[in-house]
Amino acid sequence: EAQVTQNPRYLITVTGKKLTVTCSQNMNHEYMSWYRQDPGLGLRQIYYSMNVEVTDKGDVPEGYKVSRKEKRNFPLILESPSPNQTSLYFCASSGLGRRETTYEQYFGPGTRLTVT
Amino acid sequence: KQEVTQIPAALSVPEGENLVLNCSFTDSAIYNLQWFRQDPGKGLTSLLLIQSSQREQTSGRLNASLDKSSGRSTLYIAASQPGDSATYLCAPMEYGNKLVFGAGTILRVKS
């Protein structure tokens, strides 16, 4: 089954304790990205990756790091989490086509993070 | 900066009605537009993708139109059912494959 998986699905942690949220896709997609969803602010892009070893900042990258060492995995790293990073996080992936023909993006089930 | 507005913000209808959900965006330089549904506490499910060169896309009881030049997209839901109750999100795609999301329309279909 084609899917995007995220782990963990729920996480409660304390300020300053480094954590990693994993994302994996089995569709051989080049493109992967991370979004966060907050009430009243909607979904906002954190980081994205066009392919292995190619990553770039989205709209709200502060406090986050990513890496793309394998095509299927795109982990999100919070080196020193703070309460304002409490949010619902989504990973997404898609193939990359020609400029005018792009593919639909598939989203993972989400990771609900609480930082106290 | 792209801004996406969805109207109405919330909608409550009896089962069987045909529905229209509206989405407008400020920058017409988009590559495609995707409609999603999100159930409470769950992830996003892709409903339809319309390429920038297309005017319309259909899937079952869903039909989405795109008028790129005027910055508008509409999602039609025919013969609504209680199982259609969810939040519907519109997301035009910009350079870098970035989706820019609207706040969504919360739909409730009453049986």
Side-chain angles (χ1 to χ4, degrees), chain A residues 9 31 35 37 43 45 48 50 59 88 90 94-96 99-105 107-109 112, chain B residues 31-32 34 36 38 41-44 46-47 49 51-53 68 89 93 95-99 101-102:
Chain A
R9 295 290 313 283
Y31 179 85
Y35 292 84
Q37 185 176 33
L43 281 132
Q45 190 183 57
Y48 66 95
M50 291 291 200
D59 294 325
L88 180 57
F90 290 103
S94 75
L96 285 177
R99 182 180 180 276
E100 295 300 327
T101 303
T102 50
Y103 303 124
E104 67 183 312
Q105 295 197 23
F107 279 70
R112 187 167 293 280
Chain B
Y31 293 136
N32 65 37
Q34 206 164 343
F36 296 87
Q38 184 176 25
K42 301 288 181 65
L44 280 69
S46 178
L47 297 173
L49 170 72
Q51 300 292 347
S52 61
S53 57
K68 185 181 163 183
L89 297 164
M93 193 180 86
Y95 172 79
N97 276 37
K98 183 175 83 172
L99 294 174
F101 286 86

Side-chain angles (χ1 to χ4, degrees), chain B residues 14-108:
Chain B
E15 183 176 4
E17 281 206 2
N18 299 325
L19 307 173
V20 177
L21 307 183
N22 295 294
C23 171
S24 63
F25 46 94
T26 55
D27 187 347
S28 62
I30 64 170
Y31 293 136
N32 65 37
L33 186 142
Q34 206 164 343
W35 282 92
F36 296 87
R37 70 173 277 167
Q38 184 176 25
D39 295 282
K42 301 288 181 65
L44 280 69
T45 302
S46 178
L47 297 173
L48 288 165
L49 170 72
I50 312 177
Q51 300 292 347
S52 61
S53 57
Q54 295 178 316
R55 301 280 293 186
E56 207 170 294
Q57 192 68 253
T58 297
S59 175
R61 294 183 293 108
L62 304 180
N63 174 277
S65 66
L66 175 64
D67 185 342
K68 185 181 163 183
S69 60
S70 67
R72 293 179 186 176
S73 178
T74 302
L75 179 68
Y76 299 88
I77 303 176
S80 58
Q81 303 170 357
D84 294 330
S85 298
T87 297
Y88 289 80
L89 297 164
C90 159
M93 193 180 86
E94 298 187 324
Y95 172 79
N97 276 37
K98 183 175 83 172
L99 294 174
V100 181
F101 286 86
T105 293
I106 301 171
L107 172 64
R108 181 183 170 216

Side-chain angles (χ1 to χ4, degrees), chain A residues 21-52:
Chain A
V21 183
T22 65
C23 172
S24 182
Q25 49 91 7
N26 62 1
M27 296 167 279
N28 200 36
H29 285 166
E30 294 87 359
Y31 179 85
M32 297 184 75
S33 68
W34 279 101
Y35 292 84
R36 62 178 288 176
Q37 185 176 33
D38 302 288
L41 297 175
L43 281 132
R44 297 173 292 168
Q45 190 183 57
I46 304 171
Y47 268 95
Y48 66 95
S49 170
M50 291 291 200
N51 215 322
V52 176

